[in-house]
Amino acid sequence: MLRRGALGLVRGATSRPLFMSTMASKTPVEDVIREKITAALHPTTLEIYNDSHLHAHHKAMEGSASSETHFRVVITSEAFKSKMNPARHRLIYALLKDEMAREGGIHALQLRTLTPEEEERRRAQETAPATQAKSTQ
Amino acid sequence: MSTIKAITTLKGWEHHVSSLPPTTLLIVSFHAPWAAPCAQMATVLETLASEYPATEPPSTSWVSIDAEELSDISESYNVTAVPFLVLIRNGQVLETVSGSSAVKVRNAIESHAKSSAQAGPPQTTDGTNGDTATVDKKEEDAEPKDTEQQKEELFKRLGDLVKAAPVMLFMKGTPSEPKCGFSRQLVAILRENAVKYGFFNILADDEVRQGLKEFADWPTYPQLWVDGELVGGLDIVKEELASDADFFKPYSTKASGDATAATS
């Protein structure tokens, strides 16, 4: 049994209580996704949703022990500028190549890849109709 | 490009067979409408047939027969299970392939189509495998092809396949029976936009399934290709539509009021 004091570096989220760092993360795949994308793309937005539970009963998932198979990731980064969607997604696929190739690794990856401008534009689109309605009343 | 003719009567069969010149390779597909693997095989064969130009005299003739309806014909070729493929030239059975291995089917057809005197498929492999080694269960061909060459051929095939229709969907399952939620959603989107498209069931052909991932440098399915270029998967298609509602307009049949049809 490790004593807390004997531990060296504490890696990862500071929101975790100290003793948790001695245990393996319950979401290793998600952690890798976050680490790799952050390091490579310095995203201003990074949201990772684990949709695995929605597919756990599917035929393709029969016999799978993993609870981290299907992810939906939203990324906003300058790195996507001047790249079309397929190129942006290929960037991410390349980063996560090992996790996707691995048996029991990432089976499905839904991506939303935006530049900061696009994210802003989309946000404006979504809120615009509401404000317009207000202003005509 | 060749298409598959459905033979529905014994007379029709006899007439068709007698009308073929002795050099034509007759490709007979026995199927049963209730058997799911037959639907997949139909797709594989349609795609294959489309790679063979319709020549005069015909180098290949493709027919499909309901094995139960025309049981006399099935019996004469010892069809005991479906899907079942029989290759005939000049009245002689060259080879039969039982089961749903798309690879076996393709190899059998290609090897015999090549040994015909007429123009064969666009592929150019060195043509020494005219002889049929023990048919059935052997997976690999008579002679080992150079792997580099095999890959080149595969990529050439894929290059043609992605252009088989202006909009091509490589999916798991078929539009009427999708085998994956993302494939199902993409089919629904195409239908909503009244898009005319061709589809390929990658579950029916493992060579295409793995090869296309490499060819496209894209690890997942479904894959939507437009005018020979990869657009992406479900997520990208949704994004494109979100930024441009008319994304599919040029490929839509809304004007003519047609229901979406899957073309081969």
Side-chain angles (χ1 to χ4, degrees):
Chain A
M1 181 91 152
L2 280 174
R3 272 201 276 128
R4 259 189 277 157
L7 257 200
L9 288 176
V10 173
R11 194 176 58 89
T14 48
S15 55
R16 282 207 205 113
L18 191 57
F19 75 86
M20 281 280 278
S21 59
T22 63
M23 289 161 50
S25 158
K26 285 218 172 89
T27 57
V29 179
E30 186 176 322
D31 295 346
V32 166
I33 296 177
R34 183 163 284 116
E35 273 169 40
K36 285 192 172 177
I37 294 182
T38 306
L41 304 176
H42 307 293
T44 51
T45 298
L46 176 58
E47 295 163 19
I48 303 176
Y49 301 93
N50 185 339
D51 287 341
S52 309
H53 60 284
L54 300 172
H55 302 265
H57 56 288
H58 288 175
K59 197 141 194 264
M61 292 294 106
E62 244 169 62
S64 166
S66 171
S67 62
E68 291 195 290
T69 54
H70 294 64
F71 287 96
R72 190 166 51 89
V73 186
V74 179
I75 313 165
T76 302
S77 164
E78 283 282 338
F80 294 139
K81 223 180 240 191
S82 76
K83 287 198 172 71
M84 301 286 291
N85 267 320
R88 298 179 185 186
H89 289 215
R90 282 199 183 99
L91 246 182
I92 312 295
Y93 290 151
L95 286 173
L96 299 172
K97 191 163 175 215
D98 295 335
E99 287 70 28
M100 293 183 80
R102 188 165 55 85
E103 183 76 35
I106 301 176
H107 177 80
L109 195 53
Q110 295 286 287
L111 300 172
R112 173 168 293 179
T113 49
L114 301 170
T115 60
E117 288 81 13
E118 287 166 357
E119 190 187 39
E120 192 48 54
R121 211 183 312 147
R122 196 165 287 210
R123 208 164 279 159
Q125 270 176 347
E126 282 162 16
T127 51
T131 43
Q132 284 198 337
K134 277 208 194 110
S135 66
T136 54
Q137 275 163 358
Chain B
M1 60 175 232
S2 303
T3 51
I4 304 178
K5 182 190 167 94
I7 303 260
T8 51
T9 61
L10 191 48
K11 257 223 170 78
W13 165 251
E14 285 162 0
H15 175 83
H16 186 84
V17 170
S18 59
S19 72
L20 290 176
T23 48
T24 306
L25 176 66
L26 175 59
I27 296 149
V28 189
S29 165
F30 287 88
H31 69 95
W34 45 261
C38 290
Q40 288 174 11
M41 184 53 64
T43 311
V44 172
L45 288 171
E46 274 161 27
T47 313
L48 263 174
S50 67
E51 293 171 18
Y52 288 76
T55 56
E56 194 50 55
S59 56
T60 58
S61 170
W62 306 67
V63 302
S64 78
I65 294 182
D66 182 326
E68 293 172 324
E69 284 275 321
L70 299 179
S71 50
D72 287 336
I73 307 179
S74 320
E75 270 173 45
S76 64
Y77 290 101
N78 286 322
V79 178
T80 46
V82 284
F84 195 89
L85 195 80
V86 181
L87 301 178
I88 304 170
R89 180 175 279 129
N90 200 15
Q92 198 145 357
V93 173
L94 300 175
E95 188 171 346
T96 62
V97 183
S98 174
S100 17
S101 164
V103 178
K104 277 198 221 169
V105 161
R106 190 182 335 111
N107 286 342
I109 293 175
E110 279 177 10
S111 64
H112 291 290
K114 244 187 303 107
S115 51
S116 144
Q118 257 70 7
Q123 290 94 327
T124 48
T125 39
D126 70 283
T128 47
N129 57 346
D131 70 83
T132 23
T134 17
V135 173
D136 308 4
K137 312 312 168 190
K138 281 269 170 64
E139 178 64 87
E140 300 312 309
D141 258 37
E143 26 104 315
K145 279 196 209 160
D146 181 47
T147 19
E148 193 53 56
Q149 205 179 14
Q150 263 183 319
K151 192 186 237 194
E152 241 178 73
E153 283 167 28
L154 176 58
F155 275 27
K156 174 146 195 323
R157 262 192 74 225
L158 293 173
D160 291 335
L161 201 53
V162 300
K163 295 192 194 114
V167 179
M168 266 304 281
L169 176 63
F170 292 83
M171 61 180 292
K172 293 186 172 180
T174 61
S176 43
E177 253 193 82
K179 295 290 185 194
C180 140
F182 298 148
S183 289
R184 182 180 301 112
Q185 286 182 54
L186 196 32
V187 166
I189 289 178
L190 293 172
R191 191 185 315 125
E192 273 159 29
N193 287 275
V195 179
K196 196 157 191 274
Y197 65 100
F199 74 92
F200 192 94
N201 178 3
I202 52 106
L203 294 179
D205 189 330
D206 206 58
E207 204 183 25
V208 169
R209 182 178 182 173
Q210 302 311 330
L212 188 57
K213 282 188 196 175
E214 209 186 319
F215 179 83
D217 189 16
W218 198 261
T220 53
Y221 290 104
Q223 287 185 16
L224 190 73
W225 290 69
V226 171
D227 295 330
E229 296 280 327
L230 175 66
V231 170
L234 175 66
D235 44 7
I236 290 185
V237 172
K238 283 199 215 168
E239 294 284 315
E240 300 292 350
L241 279 170
S243 31
D244 175 15
D246 288 334
F247 183 70
F248 285 119
K249 200 148 178 228
Y251 311 96
S252 162
T253 58
K254 269 206 178 106
S256 53
D258 274 350
T260 318
T263 57
S264 50

